[in-house]
Amino acid sequence: GDTPMLELLSRINGRTRVIDRIALDGLSDGRSHSLEWRRDDNGQIEVLVDGTQRVRVRDHSFRYPFRQLSILNRAGDFAVGSILLHGG
């Protein structure tokens, strides 16, 4: 559809599973926006958009540090100003 969506995906052994999906209305205003993704050792995931929590979900599909971060845009304009990763 026309509504921008954010999907958190888990990809293990070639299989992809949707952890959560949210609509991201209001991001097509031509301004810069911040996206912050946090995950703790217990699998608690939080996603904040412009400082407001939009996702809070727990995922136990794996217990090792991330090896990859992927950003995919399927339609429209999209630019990343910076990415900062913390952790092991």
Side-chain angles (χ1 to χ4, degrees), residues 21-39:
R21 178 183 296 129
I22 62 166
L24 291 178
D25 295 326
L27 295 185
S28 298
D29 57 8
R31 297 185 357 220
S32 294
H33 298 277
S34 67
L35 178 80
E36 186 174 350
W37 176 13
R38 305 174 185 164
R39 185 180 186 280

Side-chain angles (χ1 to χ4, degrees), residues 54-72:
R54 299 291 303 271
V55 172
R56 183 174 174 92
V57 65
R58 187 173 306 274
D59 176 46
H60 293 290
S61 59
F62 56 95
R63 297 200 183 270
Y64 48 85
F66 288 102
R67 293 187 341 200
Q68 182 179 11
L69 169 68
S70 298
I71 299 173
L72 173 66

